[in-house]
Amino acid sequence: MLPSIGPPTEDEETKISREFRREARKHLKFVNSPEVERFVDRIGRRIISAAGPQVFDYRFFVVDDNQLNAFAVPGGSIYLFSGLIERAKTTDELAGVLGHEIVHIKGRHLARNSGPDPISVLSLLSMVLLARSSSGAQAAGMVGQAVAAARQASYSRQLEMESDTLGARYMAAAGFDPKGVIGFLKTLDQERALNPIDVPAYVMSHPVTQERVANAELVVKSLGASDIRPDDLDTLKKVQTIIRMERPNRDTVVTEYAKQVQQNPANPELLHLLAFAQQLKGDLPAAKRNYEQARKLKPDHPGRQRDLGQFYTQTEDFVAARAAFDRALALEPNEPLTYLFLGQMLEKSGDLRSAAGAYLNAHNLAPHWDRPPQRLGFVYGKLDRLGDGHYYLGRSYLLQDEDERAIAEFERGLKITGANTPRGQVIAEELKVLKNRKK
Ligand SMILES: [Zn+2]
């Protein structure tokens, strides 16, 4: 496909996004954590469903980079940098950023943009598509440029205001506190003050002007008191802990929580965070003590029970792990993350059939997530159900935008199942869609 002259159509934007995602995987490093993936996805999807009918299929990524940045690629791909998540003070602030970026995509702002440097970003994105038909080195160069351009994409003043206004509305409709938008603008302003020479990328592309702040305050006021669901600060802090434990000064994380626990020894949230950090650091006896103490203080917390399940899985106490996961699912029945972890525990304990059942639940609850079908593929392989195994590996590749690999897995699966079985028919249908898409 050649890039068309003029703004891309919706179909072209979808294609650009898919190609961009596939190539971006080679150029960006992502935070490799199901917990972090699920956290951002959950916020994003809540906002999307509050924003009305959508043309695009959205995907969220967390780039492992301590810069304060985020960007949206036309067609539904949103990249948050771990540095931005680290600096957010509440989940509502993150919801504000995601709402803002979702509006850039939903409103097709890049196609409408007349802001600074509008053409080059668009043409570079089209280059991602062209890169496919070019030779190796040249293609990689073009994609690298496109990724760099997307990271710094900036929009006109009007489009930024539109994103602030509608983003705040959507997040409020999704049950987040729209004051998070103002909170994040303040965070951005502080960062600029702290870093006057090396201004963070997001501050460069999203300058905090008087006009923006005034507009955001007006919008928030007009929204009034909505149905705000309580902010899940625990999960944000846990996700920030995962990110910080990947950085060189990880020991300070444990020390900080230990100090806080010393001051508040009966606070289950702090005990939990300390235990979590200790587990990541590898201090399992201390982690066990603090997890169990936190549970004693407040047992009915699904996230805590799930983490206990993960902890007991690591120490191979499968009976205790099962009990904790069951409790987590009783408290919060439809959480795909819990099913994914339960599946991993069952797989580790050797109960492959039950593991497949847990992964299937995770896959049904989060059909856009590539992890559950990937595990399913491996488990069915071990169970000698090779047709099913190739099918789910194919699905997982599809969700990673690796169409060629998906086709190869589907074809292998089809050869084993035959075209006249129910599974074979499903695979044949997937292949048909994929091959049409290639044209
Ligand atoms: Zn923006």
Side-chain angles (χ1 to χ4, degrees):
M1 186 191 99
L2 282 168
S4 52
I5 298 164
T9 62
E10 279 169 5
D11 265 4
E12 283 169 332
E13 289 198 358
T14 300
K15 268 190 190 148
I16 286 172
S17 229
R18 209 182 293 130
E19 290 295 322
F20 185 92
R21 286 200 293 262
R22 203 171 62 84
E23 295 303 325
R25 281 174 207 274
K26 298 173 198 158
H27 291 263
L28 300 169
K29 188 175 167 250
F30 298 122
V31 174
N32 182 19
S33 157
E35 181 104 41
V36 176
E37 288 168 13
R38 182 69 196 129
F39 172 68
V40 171
D41 193 68
R42 207 155 99 166
I43 304 170
R45 276 176 211 281
R46 249 171 80 181
I47 298 171
I48 289 165
S49 33
Q54 298 281 343
V55 197
F56 300 118
D57 176 19
Y58 287 80
R59 297 292 160 77
F60 304 92
F61 300 90
V62 180
V63 181
D64 186 4
D65 186 322
N66 61 7
Q67 273 190 64
L68 197 168
N69 201 4
F71 65 87
V73 177
S77 309
I78 292 175
Y79 294 82
L80 273 186
F81 284 48
S82 56
L84 188 147
I85 298 180
E86 235 184 309
R87 288 171 182 83
K89 294 190 184 71
T90 61
T91 309
D92 300 313
E93 289 192 8
L94 283 181
V97 174
L98 287 175
H100 179 105
E101 297 300 322
I102 286 168
V103 178
H104 280 323
I105 290 174
K106 186 181 189 308
R108 308 185 59 226
H109 285 181
L110 207 55
R112 281 165 55 199
N113 197 19
S114 58
D117 204 16
I119 304 153
S120 66
V121 173
L122 196 56
S123 53
L124 280 172
L125 285 172
S126 307
M127 269 190 199
V128 177
L129 297 179
L130 269 182
R132 257 205 133 154
S133 48
S134 316
S135 66
Q138 200 189 0
M142 283 199 270
V143 172
Q145 272 178 292
V147 172
R151 285 167 83 126
Q152 304 155 9
S154 55
Y155 299 89
S156 68
R157 225 179 88 246
Q158 288 91 326
L159 294 177
E160 287 302 340
M161 299 276 269
E162 183 180 319
S163 275
D164 282 344
T165 304
L166 291 177
R169 259 186 224 158
Y170 297 154
M171 75 180 275
F176 294 102
D177 187 347
K179 286 197 203 78
V181 173
I182 297 165
F184 194 71
L185 287 174
K186 278 190 191 141
T187 302
L188 285 179
D189 214 32
Q190 281 163 6
E191 280 297 321
R192 191 186 46 103
L194 281 174
N195 252 330
I197 298 167
D198 190 16
V199 178
Y202 201 71
V203 183
M204 295 281 277
S205 59
H206 292 83
V208 185
T209 56
Q210 282 298 328
E211 189 189 24
R212 259 189 100 190
V213 176
N215 173 61
E217 277 169 350
L218 214 67
V219 175
V220 170
K221 216 182 202 173
S222 76
L223 288 166
S226 53
D227 236 348
I228 295 167
R229 295 194 221 167
D231 179 8
D232 190 0
L233 204 56
D234 292 6
T235 314
L236 173 65
K237 284 196 179 148
K238 221 167 64 184
V239 162
Q240 289 172 331
T241 304
I242 295 172
I243 290 167
R244 291 178 64 199
M245 289 300 280
E246 292 292 310
R247 307 238 191 279
N249 53 347
R250 54 189 286 174
D251 286 348
T252 60
V253 181
V254 178
T255 323
E256 272 170 38
Y257 283 135
K259 217 183 271 168
Q260 291 182 43
V261 165
Q262 228 167 31
Q263 286 157 1
N264 310 276
N267 181 318
E269 281 77 32
L270 287 174
L271 278 163
H272 181 179
L273 286 167
L274 174 60
F276 188 72
Q278 285 166 327
Q279 184 188 358
L280 290 180
K281 200 187 151 197
D283 186 354
L284 299 184
K288 185 169 195 270
R289 246 189 343 265
N290 290 318
Y291 268 133
E292 290 176 352
Q293 180 63 18
R295 177 169 59 180
K296 214 188 274 169
L297 289 164
K298 196 177 167 195
D300 284 346
H301 186 288
R304 186 158 310 135
Q305 294 288 354
R306 182 174 57 234
D307 283 354
L308 268 156
Q310 279 285 81
F311 177 82
Y312 292 131
T313 303
Q314 192 182 345
T315 57
E316 303 198 355
D317 185 349
F318 298 126
V319 177
R322 177 80 219 214
F325 286 131
D326 284 349
R327 190 84 201 104
L329 286 169
L331 292 162
E332 187 183 32
N334 293 321
E335 179 46 58
L337 185 64
T338 310
Y339 279 112
L340 180 79
F341 288 165
L342 171 64
Q344 287 172 343
M345 184 278 284
L346 292 163
E347 198 181 336
K348 196 174 173 189
S349 75
D351 186 354
L352 296 178
R353 286 178 55 98
S354 306
Y359 290 142
L360 265 178
N361 282 337
H363 183 46
N364 292 333
L365 288 165
H368 47 270
W369 201 13
D370 60 321
R371 285 188 194 260
Q374 188 185 44
R375 290 315 318 159
L376 264 175
F378 288 127
V379 167
Y380 278 134
K382 285 194 244 176
L383 284 166
D384 225 22
R385 285 172 58 176
L386 296 180
D388 293 332
H390 288 300
Y391 168 69
Y392 282 108
L393 283 182
R395 288 228 40 97
S396 169
Y397 281 130
L398 201 57
L399 292 169
Q400 293 166 21
D401 306 291
E402 294 283 357
D403 290 13
E404 299 300 325
R405 286 178 155 185
I407 290 174
E409 292 296 338
F410 286 149
E411 281 175 344
R412 257 174 240 150
L414 191 60
K415 213 179 260 174
I416 294 164
T417 60
N420 294 323
T421 57
R423 173 68 75 211
Q425 281 163 3
V426 171
I427 299 179
E429 195 50 43
E430 296 259 18
L431 274 170
K432 212 167 83 190
V433 173
L434 267 175
K435 284 181 176 163
N436 270 329
R437 187 153 101 180
K438 246 174 95 176
K439 278 175 204 156

